[in-house]
Structure formats: C-alpha cells, structure tokens
Amino acid sequence: VQGEGWLTAVEPAAREAVVAAWSRALAAGLRYEVEMPIRRASDGQYRLHLVRAEPIRAASGHVLRWIGIALDIHEARTASQALADREARLASIGDATAGFLY
C-alpha cells in the first residue's frame, strides 16, 4: 500500500499509537516493530499482527526505502492468553484448597 493508505486497515483505536511509533522510526531511521490489529479484507475481522519494517540504506547510510512485513499472530496470542488464564485459575484453585487435608 502506497503512502499512508495502509492506515485504513489498522483498527481506528490503534491508529494514533501506530502512527506515533512509525513517525519515531522514520525520524530516527531505525527498525520499526509494533503489534497492531489489522482488518482482514476477506471478512472485515480485525486480527492482531506483528509488523516490522527495516530501512534499506545506500552505501552512504542514507535511507533509500523501507521494507516491511506483517505477520498474523492472532491465534498464537489468543492461545497464549487462554493458557495464561487457565494457569491463573488453577493457581487460584490451589491457593483456595491449600488449607485442606486430603
């Protein structure tokens, strides 16, 4: 997507933070990495993505262009959160039954 057209796919609530992070990366000429919800074209669902961009530099060090990738991490993050929630529930059950003798 050319220019800032890519922002239309980012969940509106996340746009300000995403633009701020991208602006900092551009100004510093440093790697950009952020997690953001991006709308899937096939069904309009927002899914969490890990987005990275690297500056491509000339021999002089001047940034010529940026190359980036967006990796869909939605299922991995959802599974990780579900596991953490289950572990917390098990720990609370263990804490609640700690005083009981079997």
Side-chain angles (χ1 to χ4, degrees), residues 87-102:
E87 288 174 352
R89 281 195 311 274
L90 288 173
S92 70
I93 291 170
D95 291 345
T97 61
F100 292 103
L101 296 176
Y102 294 98

Short mmCIF file of all heavy atoms in Angstrom, two decimals, residues 87-102:
data_model
loop_
_atom_site.label_atom_id
_atom_site.label_comp_id
_atom_site.label_asym_id
_atom_site.label_seq_id
_atom_site.Cartn_x
_atom_site.Cartn_y
_atom_site.Cartn_z
N GLU A 87 -3.83 -21.21 33.67
CA GLU A 87 -2.82 -21.36 34.73
C GLU A 87 -3.19 -20.51 35.94
O GLU A 87 -3.03 -20.96 37.08
CB GLU A 87 -1.44 -21.00 34.21
CG GLU A 87 -0.88 -22.03 33.26
CD GLU A 87 0.43 -21.61 32.62
OE1 GLU A 87 0.85 -20.43 32.78
OE2 GLU A 87 1.05 -22.45 31.95
N ALA A 88 -3.70 -19.31 35.72
CA ALA A 88 -4.11 -18.45 36.83
C ALA A 88 -5.28 -19.06 37.59
O ALA A 88 -5.31 -19.02 38.83
CB ALA A 88 -4.46 -17.06 36.31
N ARG A 89 -6.25 -19.62 36.85
CA ARG A 89 -7.39 -20.27 37.51
C ARG A 89 -6.93 -21.47 38.33
O ARG A 89 -7.37 -21.67 39.46
CB ARG A 89 -8.44 -20.71 36.48
CG ARG A 89 -9.31 -19.58 35.98
CD ARG A 89 -10.55 -20.06 35.24
NE ARG A 89 -10.30 -21.06 34.22
CZ ARG A 89 -9.97 -20.80 32.95
NH1 ARG A 89 -9.82 -19.56 32.55
NH2 ARG A 89 -9.78 -21.79 32.09
N LEU A 90 -6.02 -22.28 37.78
CA LEU A 90 -5.52 -23.44 38.51
C LEU A 90 -4.76 -23.01 39.76
O LEU A 90 -4.88 -23.64 40.81
CB LEU A 90 -4.64 -24.30 37.61
CG LEU A 90 -5.36 -25.08 36.52
CD1 LEU A 90 -4.36 -25.75 35.59
CD2 LEU A 90 -6.31 -26.10 37.12
N ALA A 91 -3.98 -21.96 39.64
CA ALA A 91 -3.24 -21.46 40.79
C ALA A 91 -4.19 -20.96 41.87
O ALA A 91 -3.97 -21.21 43.06
CB ALA A 91 -2.28 -20.34 40.37
N SER A 92 -5.28 -20.29 41.47
CA SER A 92 -6.22 -19.80 42.47
C SER A 92 -6.97 -20.94 43.13
O SER A 92 -7.27 -20.88 44.31
CB SER A 92 -7.20 -18.80 41.84
OG SER A 92 -8.09 -19.44 40.97
N ILE A 93 -7.24 -22.00 42.40
CA ILE A 93 -7.88 -23.19 42.99
C ILE A 93 -6.92 -23.83 43.99
O ILE A 93 -7.30 -24.20 45.09
CB ILE A 93 -8.29 -24.20 41.90
CG1 ILE A 93 -9.43 -23.64 41.07
CG2 ILE A 93 -8.68 -25.54 42.52
CD1 ILE A 93 -9.75 -24.43 39.83
N GLY A 94 -5.64 -23.90 43.61
CA GLY A 94 -4.63 -24.46 44.51
C GLY A 94 -4.51 -23.63 45.77
O GLY A 94 -4.41 -24.17 46.87
N ASP A 95 -4.54 -22.30 45.64
CA ASP A 95 -4.46 -21.41 46.80
C ASP A 95 -5.68 -21.58 47.70
O ASP A 95 -5.57 -21.59 48.92
CB ASP A 95 -4.36 -19.95 46.35
CG ASP A 95 -3.03 -19.62 45.67
OD1 ASP A 95 -2.08 -20.43 45.80
OD2 ASP A 95 -2.96 -18.57 45.01
N ALA A 96 -6.85 -21.75 47.09
CA ALA A 96 -8.10 -21.88 47.86
C ALA A 96 -8.17 -23.19 48.63
O ALA A 96 -8.80 -23.28 49.66
CB ALA A 96 -9.30 -21.74 46.94
N THR A 97 -7.51 -24.22 48.09
CA THR A 97 -7.58 -25.54 48.75
C THR A 97 -6.33 -25.86 49.55
O THR A 97 -6.20 -26.95 50.09
CB THR A 97 -7.80 -26.64 47.69
OG1 THR A 97 -6.70 -26.65 46.78
CG2 THR A 97 -9.11 -26.44 46.95
N ALA A 98 -5.42 -24.93 49.68
CA ALA A 98 -4.13 -25.18 50.35
C ALA A 98 -4.31 -25.59 51.81
O ALA A 98 -3.51 -26.36 52.32
CB ALA A 98 -3.23 -23.96 50.25
N GLY A 99 -5.33 -25.12 52.45
CA GLY A 99 -5.52 -25.43 53.87
C GLY A 99 -6.24 -26.76 54.12
O GLY A 99 -6.33 -27.20 55.27
N PHE A 100 -6.74 -27.39 53.08
CA PHE A 100 -7.46 -28.65 53.23
C PHE A 100 -6.51 -29.82 53.23
O PHE A 100 -5.54 -29.87 52.48
CB PHE A 100 -8.48 -28.83 52.11
CG PHE A 100 -9.62 -27.85 52.18
CD1 PHE A 100 -9.64 -26.76 51.31
CD2 PHE A 100 -10.64 -28.02 53.08
CE1 PHE A 100 -10.68 -25.85 51.36
CE2 PHE A 100 -11.69 -27.12 53.14
CZ PHE A 100 -11.71 -26.02 52.27
N LEU A 101 -6.80 -30.81 54.07
CA LEU A 101 -6.04 -32.05 54.07
C LEU A 101 -6.87 -33.10 53.34
O LEU A 101 -8.07 -33.21 53.54
CB LEU A 101 -5.76 -32.51 55.49
CG LEU A 101 -4.86 -31.58 56.31
CD1 LEU A 101 -4.75 -32.11 57.74
CD2 LEU A 101 -3.48 -31.49 55.67
N TYR A 102 -6.22 -33.91 52.57
CA TYR A 102 -6.93 -34.96 51.83
C TYR A 102 -6.65 -36.29 52.41
O TYR A 102 -5.68 -36.61 52.92
CB TYR A 102 -6.52 -34.94 50.34
CG TYR A 102 -6.98 -33.67 49.66
CD1 TYR A 102 -6.12 -32.60 49.48
CD2 TYR A 102 -8.29 -33.57 49.19
CE1 TYR A 102 -6.54 -31.45 48.86
CE2 TYR A 102 -8.70 -32.41 48.55
CZ TYR A 102 -7.82 -31.37 48.39
OH TYR A 102 -8.25 -30.23 47.76
#
